[in-house]
Amino acid sequence: MARPILTLDNAMVRYDRLTAVDNVSLELRRGETLGLIGESGCGKSSIARAIVGLQPLSEGTLAVEGETLKDASRQHRLILQRRIQLLFQDPVASLSPRLTVRALLSEPLKIRNAFTAENWGRIMRLAERIGLGEQLLSRYPHQLSGGQARRVALIRVLAAEPSIVVADEPTAGLDISVQGDLLNLLRGLKDHLGLSYLLISHNLNVVGRVADRVAVMYLGRIVESGPTAALFRGPAHPYTQALLSANLTLDPSRRHERIVLSGELPSPAHPPAGCRFHSRCPLVQPICAAEAPALRAGEDGRAVACHFPLAARPAVIPQTIAG
């Protein structure tokens, strides 16, 4: 098993009185893609912001390549943090409208005082590899398509020579064919450059296609994790099963009855006691409201936080996983 390149241990992220991430532990292994899924507001983006240094951890530790960031010197911490780069969900918004593509691609090198002929040549080879022609260098962000803007944003990320890329909804708003091209590109770059990805997405078909493992979040906590194929084929947590049942599929033979959860999503500022899912769980028992279940490791790398985990039963399986 590959050793972790990034470890998040008992992490908590608070905003005033709101605890967005509550005692979360994650491992990203070298060369793998870890998918992070869950409803909006469950804490996925807060984890991403904490990992890339945009939001400090309230508690817990973050380690990169075995080194804990808070124990490193300021200079060394910056070096470690630079190895993690964020691919923003909205690429156009992340690009300055006043700069051409050429200026946008050279900016990360200039910030690091690393703008040399050799490094610029590396950037241009990357641009050629991902299909960003030289004719686009004189354009501004508003003159780019969604796919082109994502390619520019991706090259800016790679200009820092990261070992970890946090991709926040990388295919959002793209046509299906463009999504496929981008996913193939990300997989090719992972192998070519030795990258590890943390992939945050609502698109379960995307996660099923590219993720090696998946972690499922609900109200700030991880409720289930495991290898993608095993988790999608047989979810052990009732929330995971309901989440996967809502997945869209065009193949009638793969459709399953959707599980509609009762009740409203509780406020993250006032989560329920005990299991946070118990107020919506169709299998709730008295212990669920009184005692929070621990995330327990099981077979085949699976882990689930549930007092009464489901027996393996199929959910709606993305077409790239099923078969």
Side-chain angles (χ1 to χ4, degrees):
M1 182 184 296
R3 68 182 179 89
I5 191 172
L6 182 143
T7 303
L8 199 61
D9 190 28
N10 296 323
M12 300 189 74
V13 177
R14 296 191 182 97
Y15 304 97
D16 295 326
R17 299 179 182 178
L18 171 66
T19 301
V21 177
D22 190 358
N23 200 33
V24 166
S25 296
L26 285 175
E27 285 186 350
L28 176 64
R29 299 165 188 163
R30 188 178 299 275
E32 82 165 349
T33 298
L34 174 63
L36 188 59
I37 62 176
E39 293 172 282
S40 296
C42 69
K44 303 186 303 296
S45 293
S46 291
I47 285 181
R49 289 173 59 84
I51 287 175
V52 301
L54 294 177
Q55 176 68 34
L57 288 177
S58 304
E59 294 181 30
T61 58
L62 173 65
V64 179
E65 299 182 348
E67 298 187 66
T68 303
L69 263 65
K70 71 176 184 179
D71 294 336
S73 65
R74 182 178 182 278
Q75 183 176 4
H76 190 51
R77 186 166 62 250
L78 290 175
I79 293 173
L80 291 173
Q81 199 77 59
R82 189 182 296 158
R83 296 176 186 171
I84 311 171
Q85 294 295 318
L86 175 63
L87 185 60
F88 288 95
Q89 178 176 345
D90 187 344
V92 175
S94 71
L95 304 176
S96 172
R98 300 181 179 182
L99 300 180
T100 63
V101 170
R102 183 187 299 276
L104 288 166
L105 297 184
S106 63
E107 185 181 40
L109 297 177
K110 293 178 178 178
I111 290 174
R112 296 168 49 207
N113 294 319
F115 187 77
T116 63
E118 179 181 356
N119 284 336
W120 181 247
R122 178 174 61 85
I123 295 300
M124 289 297 95
R125 287 191 295 273
L126 277 174
E128 182 179 358
R129 181 183 180 89
I130 72 173
L132 197 66
E134 190 172 347
Q135 70 276 10
L136 297 180
L137 295 180
S138 61
R139 295 187 184 179
Y140 289 87
H142 73 275
Q143 298 173 313
L144 303 176
S145 68
Q148 290 169 341
R150 273 177 172 78
R151 283 169 166 77
V152 172
L154 181 58
I155 296 175
R156 281 168 55 85
V157 163
L158 298 178
E161 299 183 88
S163 50
I164 301 165
V165 174
V166 178
D168 187 4
E169 296 285 1
T171 61
L174 296 178
D175 293 339
I176 294 295
S177 60
V178 181
Q179 287 185 22
D181 289 343
L182 183 62
L183 292 177
N184 289 334
L185 172 62
L186 289 173
R187 287 199 294 188
L189 288 170
K190 184 179 78 167
D191 296 335
H192 178 64
L193 300 175
L195 300 171
S196 303
Y197 292 137
L198 175 61
L199 172 66
I200 298 171
S201 182
H202 288 97
N203 190 327
L204 299 181
N205 290 314
V206 167
V207 174
R209 177 173 175 177
V210 302
D212 302 297
R213 291 188 302 123
V214 176
V216 184
M217 286 195 72
Y218 183 79
L219 278 184
R221 291 181 178 172
I222 302 295
V223 297
E224 186 170 3
S225 65
T228 304
L231 187 146
F232 275 48
R233 282 197 173 100
H237 197 284
Y239 173 69
T240 307
Q241 186 185 49
L243 190 67
L244 295 178
S245 78
N247 186 50
L248 297 176
T249 177
L250 300 179
D251 186 347
S253 67
R254 302 186 189 275
R255 292 177 184 169
H256 293 256
E257 182 178 355
R258 179 172 180 179
I259 299 172
V260 179
L261 298 175
S262 61
E264 298 292 330
L265 180 68
S267 168
H270 304 285
C275 174
R276 296 190 172 190
F277 185 60
H278 83 264
S279 62
R280 304 172 73 194
C281 182
L283 306 176
V284 64
Q285 299 293 324
I287 190 176
C288 303
E291 183 179 328
L295 187 66
R296 295 183 177 89
E299 299 179 355
D300 303 324
R302 302 282 296 274
V304 60
C306 183
H307 292 298
F308 306 99
L310 302 169
R313 62 182 77 176
V316 177
I317 306 170
Q319 293 175 324
T320 50
I321 290 293

